[in-house]
Each structure stands twice: as C-alpha cells, then as structure tokens.
C-alpha cells in the first residue's frame, strides 16, 4: 500500500532578504553579476526558507525558545548567510578559516580569515570578520592526522574529535587528560593548539529505532527511514549503515514486505540505502508532529550555528543547532568519520531518522549521548556524502528537471542535475563558468544561472 500523511497547507508570511553580491575583497577577482530576465531569487527563496512548514516553526519555537516571527527570521537569515559565506570562501581562497552564525535569529554571520587585510571587505558584506592563525584547510589536515592515529590504535578513551571552527582549533573529547594527551601525541600534534575536553560521556549507536517511519530488518531489529531517494528507476530511502547489512530484507511500518538493503557501510562511515518494492512510493516528505509532514526541496549544507530539526519514532520531532561538521566518533562498535555534531536530543529508537535545516535535507541520525529529558548531543551522517557514495538522487519537492550541459571547458566539469557538488567546485553551464557556494546535490530546477544562492558566476 502507498503510505500518505495529511499535509497542512498553511504558510507563514515574512519579508525575504535580497541576495547579496560580493565586491571589493583583496587578492580576489570580483564575480560578474549573473544575467537574468528579472530579479534573481534570494537564497531564502531558492532554498525554501521563506516558506517554512508550521511543524518546523513549532518545533523551533519549543526547542530554541523562539516566537514564530523569530523562528521565521532565523530560517531566512541562515539561508542568506550560507550564500554569503560561500562567496567569501571562494574569494578568500586558502585564507578562508571557516564561517558560522550566532544569535537568537542567527542574525550575525562571522567569517574567519588568516589575513587581517580581508577584514574591511568582509565587514562590507555585513559579516563580522575574525582574524585567526589557522586556515580551515590546515585544521582539516590536522584532524586527518588524528584520524590516521585512530586507525593505528584504540580510541575507547578518546571517543570524539573534531574541528571547532569558531575556536579555530582541534578538539578531542577524552575520559582523562592523560588519554587525550596520548592521542594528540600519537597524531604528531603535540605542542599544537589542540583542546582536550574531559568527560565521562560516551556516544552510543541509537539502535532499534525509526526516524520518519519505522522499518524492520530481517523481522528482528527496528530502524528509521531517513530520506526518499531514487537510483535510476529504483526507489528507496537512505538510513544509518549500522541498521543492516547489504542483502538484509526489510518490512515497513505496517509489517508488509518493503525492500532490501542495496548497500551498507559501517564503521568508517554510517550510511546505507534500501531499495523498496513497487508499492512504496518515494516522496519528499519527512514525518513531523501529530501526523503532519514537512517537505525537503534540496540538500544545501547548513552552517555551524544553524538550526536543525530531527524526526524520530521514539522521541518525535526535536530541534537544536549544528555545533561542528566533520566530527569523528569512536563507538564501541567502531570509528565513524565525517559526522556532524548537534545539540538535538535523541534516544534509542531514533537512529537512521532525518535531519532537516529549513527545507534542506542534512543527514540521518547515527548516535549520541544524553536523552530528551535532560538534553544531549547527537551526530548525523551527512546526506550529501551518502548520495555521492551510492549514486542516489534525493527525492524533493523541487520543480521539473532540466537538460544538463555535456560540454567541458578549461578543466571545469559540466553542471549535471543529480551530481553532488562541494563548495568551491567549478562547473560550466551553457558556456558559462560558475563556482559552487554551498555543498549540495544539484536539483533540476537549480541550474547555476537561476540560483545565485548556490552558484557564483566567474
């Protein structure tokens, strides 16, 4: 049977900020304005942040202590900040040291650079400039040294490590100062500015769960549907890799035959996808509260500090903020790299479920610590990495597909709908070169010329 929830049509009206254009950064060429027949859509319009669902707003109001106007304003600010940060990232190049939002309505965008000469130009774009000593590239290289050290030894006493962009340093979560220091030394980072946070909390996998709707693996374990996807003519959904191995069979929330795990990887990463039978129709819907749904329109990666909401069958619909991207977590079952750390609470039974920022898919629940009574920390596997790894297309509420440009010019790849593009990637479309502003999977309605929130004309 085809499963459908009731859908609420109410939309909140709010003023949409216009798209901002970068100009005057030192050492960088200024982008030509993108030609258009009419006003270019703002970042909020492109990403659907100006049309939030009432379920999303209600959860943000509850969990982030906002009123409806503040929740709506926050979503718009975060969408616009992501686009502005992308333009600054491209202009600063190797001097870029990260970006994040803060404030009750995410009204303050901070962009870090290693060159004080960039300060005036960053501030001219309405962002706060922070001059730091380490580039984002350098921080990621240092974290890679920790990853390599973890592969050579045990990390049970140092279960989490990540790049803390606002603090411009690497952070290690350890059970003792000695354990943290030994891990740092093994990575060759002794003497570097690596923070060690002492805690007895250990993340664990949130097994036996559902995110949107429940599904069951080999008539035994229970997990959560993440986001609907397709691969050619095959429909299905993504979920956590620890939920099941390739070849495992699944039944749906109603215990009817559903599908089979097509691929699954855990540990290392925590990603899997299930190919479903014909009667299960992929939709862009994510289960929210009281039988309602929210819809995703894409997968643009949100900034550190941005709000994010999670759906889970155990604890329902909860929101929080993104703390760090690219975190490594050492679960008892094995290490997972590339996770995103959040303040959203979760409990066993919530694994595999979807995270959304506004109308943008972010990832699926991997594991965490704490609970939804006293609060906690959860980690999600980013969805763009899953789409790219398995060659999947996210099911969205975006408009119809467009024909991709097959040409390749000056070493740039041709823009293609369905491709996952990292921030900074260069493409061509209709003979014009563009640079990606925010990591996302290209939707058919998101051709570069019409989405200045995602692409900068070169």
């Amino acid at each position: 049977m085809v499963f459908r929830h009731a859908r609420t049509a109410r939309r909140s009206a709010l003023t949409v900020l216009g798209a901002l254009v970068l100009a005057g950064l030192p050492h960088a060429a200024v982008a030509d304005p993108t030609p258009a027949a009419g006003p270019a859509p703002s970042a909020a319009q492109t990403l659907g942040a100006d049309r939030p669902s009432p379920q999303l707003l209600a959860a943000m109001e509850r969990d982030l202590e906002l009123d409806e106007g503040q929740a709506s304003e926050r979503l718009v600010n975060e969408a616009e900040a992501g686009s502005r940060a992308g333009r600054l990232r491209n202009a600063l190049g190797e001097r870029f040291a990260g970006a994040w939002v803060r404030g009750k309505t995410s009204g303050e965008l901070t962009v870090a650079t290693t060159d004080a000469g960039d300060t005036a130009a960053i501030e001219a774009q309405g962002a706060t400039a922070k001059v730091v000593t380490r580039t984002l590239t350098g921080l990621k290289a240092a974290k890679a040294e920790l990853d390599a050290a973890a592969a050579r030894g045990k990390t049970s006493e140092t279960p989490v490590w990540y790049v803390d962009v606002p603090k411009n340093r690497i952070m290690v979560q350890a059970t003792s100062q000695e354990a943290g220091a030994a891990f740092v030394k093994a990575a060759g980072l002794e003497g570097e500015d690596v923070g060690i946070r002492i805690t007895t909390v250990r993340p664990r996998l949130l097994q036996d769960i559902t995110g949107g709707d429940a599904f069951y693996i080999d008539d035994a374990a229970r997990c959560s549907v993440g986001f609907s996807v397709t691969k050619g003519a095959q429909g299905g959904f993504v979920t956590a890799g620890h939920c099941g191995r390739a070849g495992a069979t699944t039944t749906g929330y109603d215990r009817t035959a559903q599908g089979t795990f097509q691929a699954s990887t855990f540990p290392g990463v925590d990603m899997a996808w299930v190919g479903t039978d014909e009667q299960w129709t992929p939709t862009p819907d994510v289960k929210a509260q009281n039988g309602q749904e929210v819809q995703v329109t894409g997968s643009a990666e949100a900034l550190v500090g941005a709000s994010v909401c999670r759906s889970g069958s155990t604890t329902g619909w909860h929101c929080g903020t993104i703390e760090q991207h690219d975190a490594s977590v050492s679960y008892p079952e094995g290490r997972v790299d590339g996770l995103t750390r959040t303040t959203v609470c979760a409990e066993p039974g919530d694994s595999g479920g979807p995270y959304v920022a506004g109308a943008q898919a972010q990832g699926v629940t991997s594991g965490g610590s704490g609970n939804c009574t006293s609060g906690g920390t959860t980690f999600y596997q980013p969805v763009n990495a899953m789409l790219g790894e398995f060659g999947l297309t996210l099911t969205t509420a975006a408009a119809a597909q467009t024909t991709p440009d097959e040409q390749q010019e000056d070493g740039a790849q041709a823009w293609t709908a369905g491709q996952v593009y990292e921030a900074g990637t260069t493409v061509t479309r209709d003979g014009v070169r563009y640079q990606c502003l925010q990591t996302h999977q290209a939707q058919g309605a998101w051709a570069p010329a019409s989405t200045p929130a995602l692409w900068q004309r070169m």
Side-chain angles (χ1 to χ4, degrees):
M1 59 182 292
V2 178
F3 179 49
R4 290 283 187 272
H5 286 296
R7 186 172 297 131
T8 302
R10 182 172 68 88
R11 293 287 186 256
S12 297
L14 64 155
T15 301
V16 179
L17 302 177
L20 300 178
V21 179
L22 178 66
L25 278 173
H27 321 306
V30 178
D32 291 331
T34 302
S42 70
Q45 290 171 323
T46 296
L47 303 182
D50 62 329
R51 304 176 300 279
S53 71
Q55 292 76 34
L56 183 71
L57 291 176
M60 290 177 64
E61 291 164 33
R62 179 195 64 204
D63 296 337
L64 298 178
E65 298 182 348
L66 307 172
D67 60 34
E68 184 174 357
Q70 290 172 327
S72 296
E73 183 181 357
R74 180 168 184 142
L75 290 172
V76 171
N77 286 343
E78 289 170 355
E80 299 293 342
S83 179
R84 291 159 59 201
R87 291 179 181 275
L88 287 163
R89 172 200 289 265
N90 289 343
L92 294 174
E94 284 300 310
R95 303 190 305 280
F96 179 74
W100 58 95
V101 292
R102 65 177 59 184
K104 203 166 186 68
T105 60
S106 295
E108 181 183 342
L109 168 65
T110 300
V111 175
T113 176
T114 55
D115 187 345
D118 295 325
T119 300
I122 292 173
E123 291 177 346
Q125 301 307 312
T128 298
K130 184 174 182 179
V131 181
V132 297
T133 58
R134 298 171 181 81
T135 66
L136 184 58
T137 299
L139 288 170
K140 288 184 174 181
K143 181 184 175 293
E145 295 297 328
L146 288 171
D147 295 345
R152 298 190 297 267
K154 296 181 179 180
T155 55
S156 58
E157 302 305 312
T158 53
V160 180
W161 58 100
Y162 50 82
V163 174
D164 191 331
V165 173
K167 293 184 178 179
N168 194 236
R169 68 193 308 192
I170 302 295
M171 292 295 294
V172 173
Q173 182 174 306
T175 58
S176 69
Q177 183 68 33
E178 293 74 18
F183 184 36
V184 171
K185 182 177 181 180
L189 299 178
E190 192 174 26
E192 299 288 334
D193 186 16
V194 179
I196 298 175
R197 177 178 172 233
I198 309 305
T199 177
T200 58
V201 173
R202 296 174 184 267
R204 83 283 191 195
L205 297 174
L206 303 176
Q207 295 175 329
D208 188 30
I209 41 161
T210 179
D213 284 320
F215 74 99
Y216 301 85
I217 304 93
D218 290 334
D219 291 324
R222 179 168 61 94
C223 256
S224 312
V225 174
F227 297 100
S228 292
V229 296
T230 56
K231 186 169 186 177
Q234 175 68 64
F237 58 86
V238 291
T239 190
H242 70 263
C243 288
R245 297 181 178 180
T249 59
T250 70
T251 53
Y253 73 97
D254 56 357
R255 291 289 194 169
T256 61
Q258 182 189 63
T260 305
F261 274 81
Q262 302 297 302
S264 178
T265 306
F266 175 83
V269 292
D270 196 2
M271 57 177 69
W273 83 281
V274 174
T276 55
D277 302 336
E278 289 183 354
Q279 67 267 31
W280 295 88
T281 302
T283 75
D285 303 329
V286 169
K287 192 173 182 179
Q289 293 179 180
N290 302 320
Q292 303 300 314
E293 298 172 342
V294 299
Q295 292 191 316
V296 297
T297 62
S299 62
E301 183 180 276
L303 292 174
V304 167
S307 54
V308 67
C309 298
R310 173 195 58 74
S311 180
S313 65
T314 300
T315 58
W317 185 239
H318 286 275
C319 299
T321 59
I322 294 172
E323 293 194 309
Q324 289 90 23
H325 292 299
D326 197 21
S328 292
V329 177
S330 184
Y331 297 118
E333 296 84 353
R335 189 181 94 244
V336 179
D337 297 320
L339 300 179
T340 293
R341 185 171 183 256
T342 78
T343 65
V344 186
C345 70
E347 297 179 9
D350 288 329
S351 269
Y355 280 72
V356 296
Q360 301 301 301
Q362 298 298 308
V364 302
T365 301
S366 175
S369 56
N371 55 53
C372 286
T373 299
S374 60
T377 296
T378 57
F379 300 86
Y380 65 76
Q381 169 68 61
V383 70
N384 284 317
M386 305 173 77
L387 299 174
E389 176 67 21
F390 298 139
L392 305 171
T393 299
L394 181 68
T395 302
T396 71
Q401 300 289 303
T402 59
T403 304
D405 187 350
E406 299 297 334
Q407 294 184 354
Q408 307 232 357
E409 299 177 3
D410 301 329
Q413 57 185 292
W415 179 87
T416 305
Q419 178 73 33
V420 174
Y421 292 110
E422 296 287 334
T425 301
T426 301
V427 301
T428 62
R429 174 70 175 175
D430 297 328
V432 179
R433 286 166 59 87
Y434 300 89
Q435 194 168 24
C436 182
L437 298 177
Q438 303 181 69
T439 298
H440 68 283
Q441 182 177 57
Q443 304 296 314
W446 283 1
S450 60
T451 53
L454 297 174
W455 294 99
Q456 180 178 21
R457 182 169 174 159
M458 300 180 69

